[in-house]
Amino acid sequence: MTEHEHVRVAVVGSGFGGLGAAVRLRREGITDFVILERAGEVGGTWRDNSYPGCACDVPSHLYSFSFAPNPEWPRTFSGQRHIRAYLEHVADTFGLRPHLRFHSEVRRMTWDARELRWEIETASGRLTADVVVSATGPLSDPKIPDIPGLDSFPGKVFHSARWDHDHDLTGKRVAVIGTGASAIQFIPAVQPKAARLTLFQRTPAWVMPRMDRPISGAERFLHRTLPATTRLRRGLLWGIRELQVQAFTKHPEELGFVELLAKRNMARAIKDPALRAKLTPDYRIGCKRILLSNDYYPALARPNTDVVASGLSEVRGSTLVAADGTETEADVIIFGTGFHVTDMPIAERVVGADGHTLAQSWKSGMEALRGASAAGFPNFLTVIGPNTGLANTSMILMIESQLNYLADYLRQLRVLGGRAALDARPAAVDAWNRRVQERMKRTVWNTGGCTSWYLDASGRNTTIWPGTTTEFRRATRRVDLAEYDVLRPAAHQAPAERSAEVGA
């Protein structure tokens, strides 16, 4: 048998989740780990999404690790370039470079029940690991809808997350498919160049003003010299958003006032009543992600822009046909149609204890104990797993909570001693998810009257956490061994010992 590398922990992905996990491992005294990255650089979604106008809709000081504050953020809302540079800085500051394995896309991960470890096949070779931390993220694999005739289109086609910077859009007839967070950022950048821009909109979005401004040199100096001011700023931003959560999760009827503000924002830029009618959503604000922009509506009001209030249904050569029959000629198609969120592609490549893939296990919907552990997949933890997403605040808060859970998980394995694995009990996973879905019933994401990317194919919200970040942090502070079966190598234990542990 060919010798291959064995590590204590294999981390998959080098975005916020993967780098955060790696930093936490080092802080816990674990240095025997690798970070498997399919690309040639760190950054995750902030490396892949380089489209014009790409930026974050969460304030900079909240969209960064609490253990790695950045006093030098140049704007209140950061652009892609600065966030990517921040992640590179984290990799350097915390000594993560030696652990990084680039061009190492995971092709298969299979649980070895005899040896209690994961066998991992990557594009750069094979290895085994006691524990796998999957941090591939929900915004990593672009989704392009299956449009009849798309192959017949003679022009350029690309997704916003795979932007073709070499293709000049000047003077072109550009069709944009989708009206999500990416599209509203790149449309204002594309519109001035295009001879004609046609937006295919299945559902309009609620758009609020983007309260962005440069952070002054004096502010940055203060944050540099008095680090407590950075923590204070972050704390204030966090607190405001924690208070807002109640409206989304418990009292959606209170969002009517916010809708009025959004309509006023639209009315300032869109004077044409017919266009305003097309752009006005018929669902409660917050049901889909609220988008932030100051230049989206003005771009749509320009003479060279058309809004087709219907999705793209067919392509006939260079003619694009909408579901309502509208026909448009185009030279370029840009998809701003989001990602595989509720059907994570990594799940097809993970084979658990019973020989089934994680995708098969999740065929009725994703679910994991405390957003981290799926039953039948021992020593496999997901960062940004099922029902850990947020709609109004920073995902970094949730990531750090899951890193707390990861740290305690590894501590529990150390306490158990010897070769051991933890497998989430199906009953514990079911109980957790029943609680989550029960709380979800009254949230705006379920009652707001829309179909969003938060919902899976069966209409269940498997993406969003229906509570505050404080509640989630409490729920993931410690690993409760009663929610897990403790596994030992079969040859190393008597049947009585195993049954006692399983019943513990």
Side-chain angles (χ1 to χ4, degrees):
M1 180 179 165
T2 307
E3 282 294 314
H4 57 257
E5 184 181 15
H6 178 78
V7 294
R8 177 68 174 142
V9 184
V11 178
V12 186
S14 69
F16 268 102
L19 295 182
V23 172
R24 191 56 188 265
L25 290 173
R26 292 206 61 154
R27 293 174 83 189
E28 291 293 317
I30 297 170
T31 56
D32 181 17
F33 68 90
V34 294
I35 309 164
L36 303 172
E37 170 54 56
R38 66 183 176 186
E41 299 171 278
V42 303
T45 195
W46 295 105
R47 175 199 59 237
D48 295 345
N49 287 268
S50 60
Y51 58 81
C54 182
C56 190
D57 58 4
V58 174
S60 305
H61 285 86
L62 196 57
Y63 200 78
S64 44
F65 292 120
S66 63
F67 54 79
N70 178 18
E72 302 296 342
W73 288 118
R75 300 191 68 85
T76 51
F77 289 87
S78 287
Q80 175 262 349
R81 183 167 59 88
H82 291 108
I83 296 173
R84 185 175 173 185
Y86 171 77
L87 289 169
E88 296 277 2
H89 173 73
V90 167
D92 291 330
T93 302
F94 292 93
L96 304 182
R97 297 283 177 193
H99 301 275
L100 282 157
R101 304 291 168 84
F102 292 122
H103 307 294
S104 297
E105 181 171 16
V106 170
R107 292 173 173 165
R108 198 81 166 167
M109 289 192 279
T110 306
W111 176 248
D112 182 340
R114 191 171 66 83
E115 297 292 337
L116 293 190
R117 65 187 187 186
W118 286 94
E119 295 182 349
I120 306 168
E121 297 174 38
T122 79
S124 64
R126 298 180 64 227
L127 71 153
T128 54
D130 295 330
V131 177
V132 168
V133 179
S134 178
T136 56
L139 307 182
S140 57
D141 289 85
K143 179 184 279 188
I144 292 183
D146 187 14
I147 307 291
L150 184 59
D151 291 347
S152 72
F153 184 70
K156 188 72 180 174
V157 179
F158 56 88
H159 190 282
S160 60
R162 301 290 183 267
W163 196 271
D164 189 337
H165 292 277
D166 295 329
H167 192 80
D168 187 4
L169 299 174
T170 305
K172 301 286 177 63
R173 297 169 298 178
V174 180
V176 175
I177 319 301
T179 52
S182 301
I184 74 150
Q185 290 183 344
F186 71 72
I187 283 172
V190 169
Q191 174 269 319
K193 295 181 180 179
R196 187 117 214 119
L197 188 147
T198 304
L199 174 62
F200 286 79
Q201 170 195 268
R202 280 195 310 178
T203 314
W206 286 106
V207 182
M208 295 288 283
R210 185 179 178 84
M211 310 299 283
D212 190 21
R213 65 170 179 82
I215 296 177
S216 69
E219 288 173 272
R220 295 203 298 274
F221 174 77
L222 184 65
H223 293 328
R224 265 196 315 274
T225 52
L226 292 173
T229 61
T230 310
R231 291 194 296 274
L232 177 61
R233 185 174 193 150
R234 179 186 173 89
L236 287 171
L237 291 167
W238 167 79
I240 290 165
R241 278 157 180 75
E242 285 289 91
L243 292 172
Q244 292 170 346
V245 170
Q246 300 290 334
F248 291 93
T249 58
K250 295 180 180 176
H251 307 290
E253 70 282 354
E254 294 177 359
L255 291 164
F257 175 68
V258 187
E259 285 179 11
L260 287 176
L261 296 178
K263 285 178 180 175
R264 203 167 295 164
N265 179 47
M266 186 196 303
R268 276 195 292 270
I270 306 294
K271 304 304 180 187
D272 176 8
L275 180 57
R276 204 154 58 220
K278 284 183 185 178
L279 297 174
T280 302
D282 61 359
Y283 55 86
R284 178 107 282 177
I285 195 168
C287 184
K288 288 175 178 279
R289 190 174 182 92
I290 300 172
L291 307 181
L292 306 180
S293 178
N294 299 328
D295 45 15
Y296 175 64
Y297 286 143
L300 298 187
R302 301 298 298 169
N304 69 330
T305 304
D306 290 318
V307 177
V308 177
S310 184
L312 177 62
S313 67
E314 188 184 354
V315 177
R316 299 178 194 146
S318 59
T319 304
L320 277 54
V321 184
D324 65 1
T326 304
E327 294 190 3
T328 302
E329 296 293 311
D331 304 308
V332 181
I333 300 175
I334 305 175
F335 284 96
T337 44
F339 300 86
H340 289 274
V341 175
T342 59
D343 55 342
M344 292 183 196
I346 190 71
E348 296 278 2
R349 308 174 193 184
V350 183
V351 182
D354 61 0
H356 293 147
T357 65
L358 187 55
Q360 289 170 323
S361 177
W362 281 348
K363 64 180 183 294
S364 300
M366 299 191 305
E367 53 181 39
L369 176 62
R370 302 183 189 274
S373 299
F377 296 83
N379 283 9
F380 183 90
L381 294 168
T382 305
V383 177
I384 317 183
N387 291 114
T388 60
L390 296 171
N392 78 310
T393 188
S394 174
M395 273 307 302
I396 315 306
L397 300 166
M398 298 296 274
I399 288 171
E400 290 196 24
S401 291
Q402 293 201 288
L403 300 184
N404 290 341
Y405 197 73
L406 164 65
D408 198 52
Y409 191 101
L410 293 167
R411 282 187 216 116
Q412 297 290 352
L413 287 176
R414 273 203 302 274
V415 170
L416 287 167
R419 294 198 63 75
L422 297 177
D423 188 8
R425 294 181 172 185
V429 177
D430 289 345
W432 170 261
N433 279 281
R434 274 199 306 274
R435 290 202 299 274
V436 168
Q437 293 303 325
E438 187 60 36
R439 288 190 63 176
M440 197 72 73
K441 286 179 181 175
R442 61 179 177 179
T443 68
V444 69
W445 310 300
N446 279 36
T447 65
C450 75
T451 302
S452 72
W453 58 267
Y454 302 147
L455 310 181
D456 64 17
S458 61
R460 194 161 62 125
N461 191 330
T462 57
T463 307
I464 297 293
W465 167 246
T468 63
T469 61
T470 305
E471 289 171 306
F472 188 76
R473 178 154 292 206
R474 266 202 306 269
T476 52
R477 185 168 286 133
R478 295 277 182 271
V479 169
D480 180 358
L481 280 183
E483 295 181 325
Y484 287 88
D485 288 334
V486 178
L487 309 182
R488 298 280 189 187
H492 297 172
Q493 64 173 33
E497 180 189 349
R498 165 154 181 127
S499 61
E501 285 179 337
V502 170

